[in-house]
Amino acid sequence: MKKIALVVFILIGLTSYQYGMSLEPLVSPLQNINFNKEHPTVTGWKVCFRNCNEKPLMAVDFVNNQNELIIFEQNGKLNQSLYNLSIEENDRGYIATYNIRDNQTSSIKSVVFKISNENSLLDMIVDSDDSFDLVFNLKDLLPQENINGFGGLYNGTRLVAINSQKVESLVSLSNIKHQEIEWLGARSRFWTFLINSDHLNSTVIDDVNEENLSFRLKVSSVDAISKHQFRIYFGPVERSQIERVSPTLNQLMYSALWDWLRQLCFLIEWIFISLLNLVGNEGIAILLLACVLKIMIFPLNRIAEKWQDDVNSIQSDLQPQIDEIKSMFSGEEANRRIMQLYQDKNISPFYSVKSLFGFLIQIPIFIAVFDVLGESIYLLEKSFFFIDDLSKPDQWLSLPIIIPFFGSSFNLLPLCMMIISLLSAFLYTDQNLTRDLLQNQKRKLYYMSILFFVLLFTFPSGMVLYWTTSNLLQLIQMQIKKALQ
């Protein structure tokens, strides 16, 4: 009986080897990769942010479910030749080598994969004396967000083509010259899969399918080149990790913004990560970020407040006379008399433009901070008080129904933000304004509070936490100013 069991065990082992069962994963600090035993393909690939041994683990785990991640084709047909696989380990990582078996025929003689210990990178060298195709199907590879409302701008995965100047949509191939492309692939909010080749400018990109997130590389053997080298990066869109792979990949960071605004994002990102390293808590780092930025722009805000006071003073002086003119005249005559009033007072008709200065200061900061916190993988699955995940809406209370646009949960943080904003509007006062103008200004602030509540209700909670803190600091500053007066 024991002999029969031993024979069955051996047969099962031989059968598993014959049909190409995957190996145990090759483990490095940033990635774990499974290879097929008989075909040059990846059957499993887990990539991690910072370290695969870190707890809690932030990772993406591709498991082959009938869809191969890297497919070799020749003359439009799947390469089904059998290969012998050997594994070598060294100080830098692993080398997995596929050599064609003696009884098999294929123009692809060997495929070598080099796994790095230093980054989420896979080097691939294909030895072929004829043309071949590489097919990538990335449909279910990258995790996607599922956020309602305006926060849904972070949903989805898109195909991208990257060079040292910009990131383009890979779908718009008619607008892209192949020689300008350095990397191509797909990216989601936090993760990306990209491929680079030493001969990418002589490689034809074909069969681009945005819906299935798939594309084909037609690789030609030209100029007596038989060995084709590719670099594949599968990992987080995080500055320190992508810079270890290629400086060009920095273009993935805040790619929708103008370059000067991207530089502002990099500065704010550096401040945020420095604060995070100092305090070790993502939520507290966001609170401190709001304080630091408030201090940094305080001199500019002081100038903006002075200009706003000047505008309010002029407006309070002119408004009664303008109202009187409008009550007595209309049309062209009213406009003429109002312009004459400006001239007599030696005031520009565009004096109120100065009041926009404070608003214009806030816009770039607002955009940059929201992009930094919106794309920061450091917030992924990080909790703070009642917030389970700072990269998502706080989902404080589940609702029994799904409300269009707002979703099926109630988010507490946007409500706190709105209450602080409404309180600021209620307490707002300005001795330079008449009572009517003051009430009008308060109404505008009330409307703005409600508008921001709607806009940011489904935004990631880390971003809303920053804006709530910024509003609270503004309220405190306003009360201190009032007390000093």
Side-chain angles (χ1 to χ4, degrees):
M1 198 66 185
K2 289 182 180 179
K3 292 181 179 180
I4 294 175
L6 180 61
V7 171
V8 170
F9 179 78
I10 293 173
L11 288 175
I12 291 175
L14 291 174
T15 303
S16 298
Y17 183 86
Q18 179 181 352
Y19 286 95
M21 297 295 287
S22 60
L23 294 168
E24 289 297 315
L26 303 182
V27 179
S28 78
L30 294 170
Q31 58 184 332
N32 304 338
I33 302 182
N34 289 75
F35 291 103
N36 188 288
K37 282 188 177 181
E38 297 185 327
H39 303 287
T41 188
V42 176
T43 59
W45 194 349
K46 179 168 76 172
V47 294
C48 312
F49 171 54
R50 289 191 291 219
N51 197 305
C52 286
N53 298 318
E54 189 174 89
K55 301 295 182 183
L57 178 66
M58 283 185 283
V60 173
D61 197 354
F62 163 75
V63 178
N64 177 29
N65 292 318
Q66 299 180 346
N67 292 323
E68 301 286 355
L69 185 57
I70 304 173
I71 300 174
F72 288 87
E73 290 186 358
Q74 292 179 287
N75 300 319
K77 296 181 180 179
L78 183 68
N79 177 24
Q80 295 182 320
S81 301
L82 301 180
Y83 293 78
N84 293 320
L85 173 62
S86 61
I87 303 292
E88 176 188 345
E89 183 178 3
N90 56 38
D91 294 339
R92 301 186 63 183
Y94 296 89
I95 300 176
T97 303
Y98 289 90
N99 289 305
I100 191 86
R101 294 184 182 178
D102 293 337
N103 61 342
Q104 300 290 306
T105 57
S106 174
S107 63
I108 300 178
K109 303 304 179 183
S110 67
V111 180
V112 178
F113 294 101
K114 295 181 179 180
I115 299 96
S116 172
N117 282 334
E118 299 175 354
N119 46 51
S120 303
L121 192 66
L122 182 66
D123 286 305
M124 181 173 69
I125 303 171
V126 182
D127 186 357
S128 175
D129 53 17
D130 198 359
S131 301
F132 62 93
D133 292 357
L134 283 175
V135 182
F136 296 90
N137 186 345
L138 312 178
K139 177 69 173 178
D140 301 314
L141 179 63
L142 303 177
Q144 300 190 41
E145 306 295 316
N146 184 25
I147 304 176
N148 294 288
F150 289 111
L153 64 88
Y154 292 106
N155 297 341
T157 300
R158 67 183 190 275
L159 296 173
V160 293
I162 308 170
N163 60 33
S164 58
Q165 283 78 42
K166 58 185 176 180
V167 176
E168 294 279 0
S169 169
L170 183 57
V171 180
S172 307
L173 280 177
S174 58
N175 301 325
I176 302 175
K177 296 180 181 179
H178 292 170
Q179 62 266 25
E180 295 178 349
I181 300 176
E182 295 185 36
W183 294 82
L184 58 96
R187 74 155 295 178
S188 60
R189 182 182 175 191
F190 297 125
W191 305 91
T192 187
F193 179 95
L194 300 166
I195 182 169
N196 163 273
S197 170
D198 291 345
H199 311 289
L200 193 57
N201 55 7
S202 63
T203 301
V204 177
I205 306 169
D206 197 14
D207 292 346
V208 177
N209 189 312
E210 185 178 19
E211 183 178 353
N212 292 326
L213 297 174
S214 63
F215 59 91
R216 177 189 301 269
L217 297 181
K218 292 183 174 294
V219 185
S220 301
S221 292
V222 294
D223 300 328
I225 297 175
S226 62
K227 291 191 176 182
H228 305 268
Q229 300 188 22
F230 302 87
R231 308 194 85 191
I232 300 174
Y233 174 72
F234 179 29
V237 183
E238 194 274 331
R239 197 173 178 188
S240 64
Q241 285 199 208
I242 61 178
E243 281 184 341
R244 290 201 295 267
V245 175
S246 169
T248 300
L249 296 186
N250 256 336
Q251 293 297 327
L252 282 172
M253 306 293 294
Y254 323 118
S255 56
L257 303 179
W258 293 311
D259 189 61
W260 67 270
L261 202 48
R262 291 182 67 239
Q263 299 307 314
L264 180 59
C265 288
F266 289 136
L267 172 62
I268 293 174
E269 178 191 47
W270 177 80
I271 295 172
F272 172 66
I273 294 176
S274 299
L275 293 171
L276 179 57
N277 291 333
L278 179 66
V279 299
N281 181 279
E282 291 74 15
I284 295 176
I286 292 174
L287 301 181
L288 293 177
L289 177 66
C291 297
V292 170
L293 293 181
K294 182 67 72 174
I295 294 171
M296 289 177 62
I297 64 173
F298 179 77
L300 293 176
N301 276 335
R302 287 292 296 165
I303 296 174
E305 288 175 3
K306 184 180 182 304
W307 287 0
Q308 181 68 58
D309 290 341
D310 292 343
V311 170
N312 290 344
S313 179
I314 294 171
Q315 191 173 12
S316 296
D317 181 45
L318 292 180
Q319 196 62 45
Q321 300 175 66
I322 292 174
D323 291 341
E324 183 179 354
I325 291 173
K326 288 182 176 180
S327 66
M328 298 176 61
F329 304 95
S330 61
E332 187 65 29
E333 180 63 19
N335 291 333
R336 187 188 68 80
R337 288 179 177 269
I338 291 173
M339 294 303 294
Q340 185 62 46
L341 175 64
Y342 287 139
Q343 187 175 350
D344 293 341
K345 296 281 189 178
N346 197 25
I347 297 172
S348 169
F350 305 105
Y351 74 92
S352 61
V353 173
K354 291 170 62 176
S355 64
L356 295 176
F357 182 67
F359 181 66
L360 294 176
I361 293 173
Q362 293 290 339
I363 289 178
I365 301 293
F366 181 87
I367 294 173
V369 171
F370 270 43
D371 269 80
V372 169
L373 297 181
E375 295 186 18
S376 177
I377 195 172
Y378 289 92
L379 303 185
L380 182 60
E381 298 179 8
K382 298 299 183 180
S383 61
F384 185 65
F385 287 104
F386 61 88
I387 304 169
D388 292 330
D389 188 344
L390 284 165
S391 70
K392 294 179 173 59
D394 62 72
Q395 299 177 338
W396 180 64
L397 181 66
S398 297
L399 301 176
I401 58 173
I402 298 177
I403 303 175
F405 183 81
F406 293 101
S408 60
S409 61
F410 180 79
N411 303 318
L412 179 61
L413 201 53
L415 177 63
C416 297
M417 177 193 68
M418 184 179 68
I419 291 173
I420 292 172
S421 298
L422 291 174
L423 181 60
S424 295
F426 178 75
L427 296 175
Y428 176 75
T429 182
D430 193 323
Q431 59 187 7
N432 296 310
L433 289 175
T434 64
R435 181 176 179 180
D436 290 342
L437 290 175
L438 180 61
Q439 292 302 317
N440 185 51
Q441 182 68 17
K442 284 188 174 186
R443 277 194 296 272
K444 291 179 181 179
L445 293 174
Y446 290 143
Y447 294 149
M448 288 290 291
S449 301
I450 297 172
L451 176 63
F452 270 86
F453 172 76
V454 175
L455 289 176
L456 302 183
F457 184 80
T458 58
F459 266 67
S461 53
M463 302 160 70
V464 184
L465 178 62
Y466 167 83
W467 194 243
T468 303
T469 307
S470 182
N471 288 346
L472 179 60
L473 293 173
Q474 185 65 33
L475 174 59
I476 295 172
Q477 182 181 339
M478 184 181 71
Q479 294 304 109
I480 293 175
K481 179 181 176 182
K482 185 189 297 185
L484 293 176
Q485 290 177 343

